[in-house]
Amino acid sequence: MNNEIGKILVVDDIIENCDILKIRMEKVGYEVDTEADSNQAIDRLRASEYDLVLLDINMPGTSGITLLEQIRGDEAFDSVAVIMITAIDDVQVALDCMRKGACGYLTKPFNIDQIRQQINNCFKRVTEKQVSGATGA
């Protein structure tokens, strides 16, 4: 298992994308679960402890951005980092996601090194937030 992040939830309505990310992420040492239904993703988050969510933006039903807002709006998920994944290469969409609490934004297609870099960056931010919260800073 990777030392920085323990467990990742991949949320993407395209099963093949979930499978590809799961295989690639497990090859480099991450523990990965997948969820193709955005409406079920919150239930998955509540049922198991995750360190990170890789979240697709464009999904039927509840969009990834709406799901991001739900995650960030729930104190139970304060320590869960969220990286948005999408085919949308739009700076405004990326900024909107970051304002709403995402700690990363990847456009498809991406490679494992890009994902790992984003994960490491997010983990550092979450750790810094936890440390500053514990010290009252």
Side-chain angles (χ1 to χ4, degrees):
M1 184 183 299
N2 190 294
N3 291 331
E4 293 89 18
I5 296 288
K7 197 167 183 182
I8 297 173
L9 177 63
V10 175
V11 182
D12 193 319
D13 62 304
I14 300 172
I15 301 292
E16 293 81 11
N17 290 344
C18 287
D19 292 344
I20 289 168
L21 278 168
K22 181 176 176 70
I23 290 166
R24 288 183 180 174
M25 300 304 290
E26 286 178 342
K27 279 185 180 177
V28 294
Y30 296 103
E31 182 181 345
V32 181
D33 289 332
T34 62
E35 181 58 62
D37 184 333
S38 59
N39 294 318
Q40 298 298 316
I42 289 288
D43 293 336
R44 289 289 296 267
L45 283 166
R46 286 192 176 100
S48 185
E49 289 189 31
Y50 291 96
D51 299 298
L52 177 84
V53 178
L54 291 173
L55 179 57
D56 187 27
I57 289 178
N58 289 325
M59 293 187 289
T62 303
S63 76
I65 293 174
T66 300
L67 187 55
L68 170 65
E69 291 170 334
Q70 291 173 349
I71 292 168
R72 292 285 63 104
D74 190 327
E75 260 183 34
F77 306 129
D78 279 354
S79 65
V80 178
V82 180
I83 298 174
M84 305 305 290
I85 54 175
T86 184
I88 302 170
D89 190 7
D90 183 323
V91 173
Q92 291 305 316
V93 173
L95 289 172
D96 185 47
C97 289
M98 302 303 261
R99 281 188 207 104
K100 291 179 179 182
C103 66
Y105 185 93
L106 288 167
T107 55
K108 298 174 187 176
F110 42 77
N111 64 47
I112 193 66
D113 291 331
Q114 290 172 308
I115 297 170
R116 290 173 75 183
Q117 183 61 49
Q118 288 277 336
I119 289 171
N120 289 336
N121 290 343
C122 286
F123 179 72
K124 288 177 190 171
R125 289 183 199 150
V126 168
T127 302
E128 290 168 2
K129 180 179 172 183
Q130 288 172 343
V131 168
S132 69
T135 61

